[in-house]
Structures are given as C-alpha cells and as structure tokens.
Amino acid sequence: MEIGIDSFASAMYGSNSLSNVDAMEQLLDRISIADEAGLDVFGIGEHHKREFLDSAPEVILAAAAARTKRIILGSAVKVLSTDDPVRVYQSFATLDLISKGRAELVVGRGSAIEAYPLFGYNLKDYDALFKEKLELLLEIRDNEFITWKGKFRPALENLPVYPRAMQKKLPIWLGVGGTPESFVRAGSLGLPLMVAIIGGETERFRPLVDLYREAGRKAGYSPEQLKVGLHSPGYVAETSEQAIADYYPGYAELWTKLGRERGWPPVTRTQFNSLVAPKGVLVVGGPEEVAEKLLRHSKALGGIDRFTFQMDNAGLSHEQLLHSIELIGSKVIPLIKQSV
C-alpha cells in the first residue's frame, strides 16, 4: 500500500491566517519533508477560493519537483471538466520531464463548483463535459497525433501534442465520490480509481468498489490493472489522545463553516467520535492506531493500493503537520509493511 498526502494548499490555520507567500513556502517544505521521510506520493488539489492557493496545482508541483527526488507528484483532483485536455496533458507531461517520471494525474468533475462559472461552463453539462474531456485526454495520452471531434471544444485534425511525457503512459486516475456511474466508468476504461471518502463509515463504499472491479473485469482488464486508492481526512500524532486533541477543534470549526454553506448541521463531538471510531472515516490517532485503521479499511474495501491523508483542513500548524508527516514515514509505513 502506497501512503501519501493530499493538500489543498490552505493558507488558513484555525482562526489565524498566513501570508500567501509564507503558506506556499511552508507547503513546499512539507512536500520536501514527505520526500525525505519516505512517503510515496504528494497530491495538490484544485480550488478557486480565497482560502486555498491551489488554483494552478501543476505550478506548485513543478516547484516541488525541483526540491524532491523520489516522491510521486500528482493532482488531487484536477477539475478536468473546466479545463482543456490538451493543456492539461502538456502541463503534466512537462511536470513529468521536470520530475524525471514522477508525475501523475487524478482527474474528476470537482465537488466544488466555483470553476464552472469562472471559466464559462454550464453546470447543466456537468457530466457531459467530463465524459468528453476524459475521452480526449486519454486519446492524447496514448497518441502523439490526434484526430478528434466533440461538442465542447474545437476539433483536432491530425495535430500533434507536445511535449510527450517521460513515462510512456502517464498515469491517470479517476477521482470519484459516491456516484455509481463514476465507478463503472473507471472500471470500463481500466483506469485506477481514487475514492474520496470524507464522512460515515468507509466500508459502506465496498459495493461501489465492487462495481468498479466488475466493470473492469467485463472490459477485459486484469485485477492488477484495477488499482484502488482511498483519500480521507487524517492526522498522526505521538498518541491517539494527542491526535484528537490537536485535530478536533480545527476540524469542527472548518466543517461547521462548510455546513453553513452547504446545508449540513454543525459538527458535534458525538459525531466526531463516531468518525474516529474503528470503522469511521477519519484516520486520526497514534501511529499504531492509524496503521491498524488503514489495514482495516483496506480489508473492508477488498484491498487498496494507495491511501492519501488530507491533513491541512483542521487548523493544524505547520509544525504539527511536519511532525505528522515524519511519524507517517518513520512509524506508520513500516507498521503497514510488516503486516502485508
């Protein structure tokens, strides 16, 4: 199981905010430390809001590529529906060259919708946009010269797309939430699956993961080709008690704020306790508890190939995040390797 971090490049730590310059510098420091600590992957999301600095994730990843040596650098997720697949491929192929073959893409439709009006797209086309642009991105990934015609972008007639990635087949994962059609789509295309689970119990997604694997099997892909990744909020401290004490205040503040925007009830401690329970989605605890939970989640979903922590969404300081990354590298990853 690969272990990594996903970040939305937040400049907000609890009630305090950093300057954008300082927040970006600290983020790049965390990616460097993750590389040194032995983590496998670091992903940058995409948002177009004041609180986040990840509107151009490939630029952040390119800066990180110059500071790191081995860690995979990817999107988490790239909102493909509101972008041009030609430019997306070119950007990540360039990142692949800078990083010497360490670039990956996780693409999705985006759970936050601010990119649609910003770039002039209609939410009524939410699924059609993604379907068409994913088709074109995969065509570009697999072929140097492209002949293609669609509804939302001008046609291409035997045109080349450069530069080409260092990797012969640039990895493209499909980021999904809870829509069955998205799981089937990923399986039918033989794409690795990244499941974002942010609430409830992780095991409830097993039927959807089974749909993915069955769709892939029917399409002729081997089990080894059908990778499953899991993205969830999490945090590691020296002990579970310390992790919860660090994590809960900022988590409750952020998710209560989001709830006011999206119609969710305020976060309660009882609700939080259920989420950090053994089957709950929050991977928050000491190294031993976190390793056990990741192995439990993997078993519940029929095996997972990658897990990424979303950590910078709970008011944690840069120092707390750095220490958590170091604990993941020095304790959590070895514990998991010993158990598989």
Side-chain angles (χ1 to χ4, degrees), residues 265-287:
V267 173
T268 66
R269 186 56 188 259
T270 299
Q271 177 191 33
F272 177 81
N273 289 343
S274 70
L275 294 175
V276 296
K279 293 184 178 181
V281 69
L282 296 184
V283 186
V284 176

Side-chain angles (χ1 to χ4, degrees), residues 248-266:
Y248 175 71
Y251 176 87
E253 179 183 339
L254 174 68
W255 287 91
T256 296
K257 178 184 176 183
L258 287 175
R260 287 195 295 268
E261 297 172 0
R262 302 189 184 186
W264 304 333

Side-chain angles (χ1 to χ4, degrees), residues 61-106:
L61 293 167
R67 296 183 177 210
T68 56
K69 295 180 179 179
R70 53 165 299 278
I71 197 166
I72 294 167
L73 300 167
S75 57
V77 303
K78 182 68 179 170
V79 184
L80 184 61
S81 304
T82 60
D83 214 326
D84 182 350
V86 173
R87 292 300 282 159
V88 170
Y89 178 83
Q90 289 175 326
S91 295
F92 279 84
T94 302
L95 172 64
D96 203 45
L97 297 175
I98 295 169
S99 66
K100 297 181 174 61
R102 293 185 283 128
E104 291 192 359
L105 266 163
V106 181

